[in-house]
Amino acid sequence: MRGRSRTPAAEPARPGPRAWWTGCMDTPRIEDHALLSDQRTSALVTREGVIDWLCVPRFDSPAVFCSLLGEAENGHWSLAIEGGTVVSRRYLPGTMVLETVWRAGTGTATVTEFMPVTGPDDGARPEGGDQADLVRHVECTEGTVAVVQELKVRFEYGAVVPWMRQSPGPEGAPVLTAVAGSEALALHGPRLHPSDHAHVGRHHLTAGQEESWVLTWYPSWQAVPARLDPHTALGATVQAWTSWLGQVDVHDRYEEAVERSLLVLRALTHRLTGGIVAAATTSLPEDFGGERNWDYRYCWLRDAALSLEALLAHDHTEAAVQWRDWLLRAIAGDPEHLQIMYAVDGDRDLPERELEHLSGYEDSLPVRIGNGAVSQFQADVVGEVMIALAMMRERGVAEDSWSWPLQKALVRFTLARVDEPDQGIWEMRGDPAFFTHGRVMTWATFDRAVTAVERYGLPASDEELATWRDTRDRLREEILARGVDGDGAFTQTYGSTEVDASLLQIPHTGFLPADDPRMLATVERIEQDLLTAEGFLLRYRTRGQDGLEGDEHPFLVCCFWLVEQYVASGRRRDAEAMLERTLGCASDLQLMAEEYDPAAGRMAGNFPQAFSHLGLIRAVDALSGAFVTCDDSSRPV
């Protein structure tokens, strides 16, 4: 999309047999996908040009393309160059705009795909509005090419066949519309033709010619939206991404990875509400063919808080303020019934159910939407939030009239449940227990509250402050007495002999330094029990406590946490080796899922995962010395 004038292509012949489509719907690997985002929702597109996942208009909306979790019949939009192969793909620098170069026997073409990040005043859409768009632009750069497509819209996660019709659009050009219930899609661009419950097209371009197709979601009761101008939208979108990213100050070796990770965190942030989702997908398996399939398209307080720390370390304070405002709205009116996660807009109702009409990614069942963990008590969550909010104070972000009362409400919530066992950071579905990591994070809740009063002068009564101090000190004594085994290592839960990678986060809270003998003993046990033969880290050993069948693969954020621990305890060479090894798990587009299967050399779990990308940023910052934890005067010596 390089600004050349558009030369109209000849009216295409109606497509004949679709031999070009044969084999295109083989199940792609997770890492073969690119992410497109308009900072409200996202799509996944394979290397071969198949959009097999799209939820509109929000991250947590039902999918209209869902073949990722089922079959071709569950919805997709393919766009390819007939007889061609992909010779390269990349994101335009500093953006989430995807550029793919195809080469066929007769010519070459560049496909540019993006979800416009536009506003009412940028000129991309005449009437503005609340639509969501996806643009696919093709430019023939050499010779002659044929652009072949298949569009199969299926609403409600591939279950509902829409009513489709071709009719004149607002500008008089034909527009293909798909309507089902309250939702509708409109496709602007050269005409596609009906064929076997889908719409297909074959369009010829010669060197210098270009065509665009724009798919737009809109409420079905509204008029069909006018066609968005692709060139104007591209300019506005590139500007929006690059201006947000700014300059990233890390070692040149890691600059691209950190930039991409920051962009992924932004791509998973809803730009209107400020909610940060954990991942763009649901039910991509942690155990291929197994039941460990979860919906991550929601806003976990923990994941968001850790994301904010990474963003704040790179001066994105506006994202932190926006998320703080989202948090205030989400828990407003009912802070005593805090949830661990919420919908993108702050809604509380996230019932978990199974989609039985879908076959699952590589037959991994069940396919779940919603998340039953919403009802769990996870003791670490408030601590993560309090640490992030304390870091905002350290970065000079002033408290507003609601933010400190919010934190006091979180402390009251924690105090009321301070002696209650929980399900842990990994959302165990076994019996509740006292997880050592969770107890340390509970300590951090009271520690940050005390520091806010003593160091920053925030208001609290003498009785409140005394209670917070006493509870903090009692928790510290308890953790050191019950959370450490006879060998001097922290344990996953009180009374167990297991370790857990989450224990690597203890120094981050300020509870103990990384070179404390108890941390060094813990690292030694983690290396013995959780480090795989290939040098990657499991989060824990799956036997009993998590309450599920099957196994899982190394967890990428845990590998990055070990990098931080190595750096902080003086093992820099080990840190560099672990970082390089873990960075090698990223895709060619520098995207990361939740887990990595080193035996098969492939990613596992939902994708892309905020946890993995925030861990990458922190690990690189630790090596560069740029990352500073939220310290306080009570850090033990």
Side-chain angles (χ1 to χ4, degrees):
M1 208 167 184
R2 300 170 186 168
R4 298 183 182 180
S5 60
R6 175 184 176 277
T7 304
E11 176 67 20
R14 290 182 180 272
R18 290 175 288 150
W20 53 270
W21 181 244
T22 302
C24 287
M25 285 305 295
D26 291 341
T27 303
R29 288 195 169 199
I30 292 169
E31 61 268 26
D32 286 340
H33 290 86
L35 176 73
L36 306 178
S37 171
D38 63 358
Q39 300 171 18
R40 292 187 299 175
T41 188
S42 59
L44 294 185
V45 53
T46 71
R47 187 183 304 274
E48 291 77 22
V50 180
I51 297 177
D52 56 9
W53 183 251
L54 173 64
C55 301
V56 279
R58 296 190 337 195
F59 297 106
D60 53 0
S61 297
V64 298
F65 299 142
C66 198
S67 61
L68 177 68
L69 299 178
E71 313 298 333
E73 292 302 312
N74 297 124
H76 62 271
W77 181 13
S78 72
L79 185 151
I81 301 303
E82 187 174 44
T85 58
V86 173
V87 296
S88 69
R89 65 173 182 167
R90 64 163 188 154
Y91 285 114
L92 297 186
T95 77
M96 298 299 293
V97 176
L98 182 67
E99 182 184 85
T100 305
V101 177
W102 289 76
R103 179 176 294 130
T106 58
T108 60
T110 298
V111 179
T112 303
E113 300 168 281
F114 63 100
M115 299 187 75
V117 182
T118 59
D121 301 323
D122 56 27
R125 180 182 296 287
E127 78 279 18
D130 191 34
Q131 298 84 17
D133 302 286
L134 196 161
V135 177
R136 311 189 83 173
H137 175 86
V138 185
E139 178 186 0
C140 180
T141 54
E142 181 181 343
T144 301
V145 298
V147 183
V148 288
Q149 297 184 69
E150 179 171 280
L151 175 69
K152 186 167 289 189
V153 178
R154 297 292 185 266
F155 289 94
E156 293 292 332
Y157 300 101
V160 175
V161 179
W163 175 40
M164 302 195 71
R165 63 175 179 169
Q166 197 92 231
S167 58
E171 300 91 350
V175 58
L176 178 64
T177 58
V179 177
S182 63
E183 298 188 276
L185 291 171
L187 180 68
H188 294 271
R191 186 168 184 170
L192 303 186
H193 300 279
S195 175
D196 191 22
H197 303 290
H199 282 74
V200 299
R202 187 170 184 270
H203 299 84
H204 289 281
L205 298 176
T206 60
Q209 291 182 328
E210 58 184 32
E211 288 287 8
S212 295
W213 289 265
V214 181
L215 186 70
T216 301
W217 175 91
Y218 64 101
S220 62
W221 59 86
Q222 294 183 2
V224 175
R227 180 178 185 269
L228 174 140
D229 179 74
H231 288 279
T232 304
L234 177 64
T237 300
V238 168
Q239 173 63 24
W241 286 111
T242 56
S243 62
W244 178 86
L245 179 62
Q247 183 67 38
V248 176
D249 186 18
V250 297
H251 190 283
D252 290 346
R253 164 69 182 86
Y254 306 117
E255 182 177 359
E256 181 182 358
V258 171
E259 284 185 353
R260 184 55 47 200
S261 291
L262 288 167
L263 288 166
V264 168
L265 295 183
R266 182 61 174 172
L268 297 176
T269 301
H270 195 281
R271 59 189 166 102
L272 301 181
T273 70
I276 304 174
V277 298
T281 58
T282 178
S283 297
L284 290 181
E286 300 168 15
D287 180 21
F288 295 104
E291 66 171 328
R292 297 171 181 267
N293 317 312
W294 314 108
D295 193 347
Y296 279 9
R297 299 169 301 144
Y298 304 115
C299 303
W300 270 256
L301 300 190
R302 173 196 306 110
D303 299 48
L306 291 170
S307 296
L308 285 189
E309 291 184 51
L311 291 168
L312 282 167
H314 289 269
D315 299 322
H316 291 291
T317 55
E318 80 289 347
V321 173
Q322 191 182 25
W323 178 79
R324 187 181 68 183
D325 292 344
W326 172 89
L327 179 64
L328 283 166
R329 295 192 302 271
I331 71 172
D334 201 15
E336 307 306 324
H337 294 89
L338 182 77
Q339 295 183 176
I340 65 167
M341 74 180 87
Y342 296 84
V344 170
D345 60 359
D347 281 352
R348 294 171 165 266
D349 191 22
L350 307 176
E352 183 176 300
R353 63 187 178 95
E354 298 177 4
L355 300 180
E356 296 183 356
H357 67 281
L358 293 173
S359 59
Y361 181 87
E362 295 191 6
D363 299 321
S364 301
L365 292 174
V367 173
R368 295 181 172 99
I369 59 172
N371 199 305
V374 69
S375 61
Q376 288 186 354
F377 171 52
Q378 297 175 12
D380 70 292
V381 167
V382 173
E384 307 281 11
V385 171
M386 292 292 286
I387 289 172
L389 294 176
M391 189 174 181
M392 288 179 64
R393 281 194 295 273
E394 288 194 344
R395 294 296 172 124
V397 179
E399 303 285 356
D400 63 20
S401 59
W402 289 104
S403 60
W404 176 239
L406 160 72
Q407 291 167 73
K408 293 179 70 174
L410 294 178
V411 176
R412 288 195 300 272
F413 169 86
T414 305
L415 190 62
R417 308 187 74 166
V418 69
D419 292 317
E420 184 176 333
D422 74 307
Q423 307 297 147
I425 183 176
W426 306 126
E427 300 175 1
M428 303 290 196
R429 299 209 172 190
D431 294 333
F434 287 108
F435 287 85
T436 302
H437 168 265
R439 301 304 281 170
V440 172
M441 284 298 173
T442 304
W443 170 91
T445 297
F446 296 101
D447 182 73
R448 295 315 189 266
V450 170
T451 302
V453 175
E454 293 181 341
R455 180 178 296 179
Y456 294 93
L458 295 175
S461 68
D462 291 343
E463 181 181 359
E464 286 175 324
L465 185 58
T467 299
W468 298 347
R469 284 193 189 118
D470 291 345
T471 306
R472 178 190 64 181
D473 296 344
R474 175 174 70 84
L475 281 167
R476 178 175 173 78
E477 293 177 3
E478 173 204 296
I479 293 163
L480 295 178
R482 300 181 61 190
V484 181
D485 68 9
D487 294 332
F490 287 105
T491 57
Q492 182 183 50
T493 60
Y494 287 175
S496 76
T497 58
E498 293 291 315
V499 288
D500 189 308
S502 65
L503 299 170
L504 296 169
Q505 287 292 280
I506 290 176
H508 182 68
T509 68
F511 185 81
L512 286 176
D515 58 357
D516 182 273
R518 287 158 290 199
M519 278 307 305
L520 298 181
T522 303
V523 171
E524 184 177 355
R525 284 278 306 281
I526 285 174
E527 290 172 329
Q528 291 173 358
D529 293 357
L530 303 183
L531 204 60
T532 69
E534 300 86 357
F536 297 98
L537 199 62
L538 301 168
R539 50 181 178 171
Y540 56 86
R541 293 195 287 197
T542 54
R543 54 183 191 188
Q545 187 65 46
D546 71 358
L548 297 169
E549 296 294 328
D551 218 328
E552 62 179 28
H553 301 289
F555 221 70
L556 293 177
V557 72
C558 298
C559 298
F560 290 126
W561 286 346
L562 188 55
V563 172
E564 289 188 74
Q565 169 64 31
Y566 282 156
V567 171
S569 59
R571 296 173 60 179
R572 186 174 183 89
R573 182 171 298 178
D574 291 331
E576 291 173 346
M578 175 61 83
L579 181 58
E580 291 293 334
R581 189 158 54 246
T582 311
L583 288 177
C585 300
S587 73
D588 61 315
L589 295 174
Q590 299 294 317
L591 301 180
M592 286 187 156
E594 181 179 34
E595 300 180 6
Y596 186 75
D597 177 357
R602 62 179 304 191
M603 293 184 189
N606 284 306
F607 175 87
Q609 179 86 355
F611 237 21
S612 299
H613 285 280
L614 69 89
L616 184 156
I617 296 166
R618 278 179 38 176
V620 170
D621 286 346
L623 269 174
S624 68
F627 190 83
V628 180
T629 60
C630 187
D631 203 355
D632 59 82
S633 58
S634 65
R635 178 189 291 272
V637 178

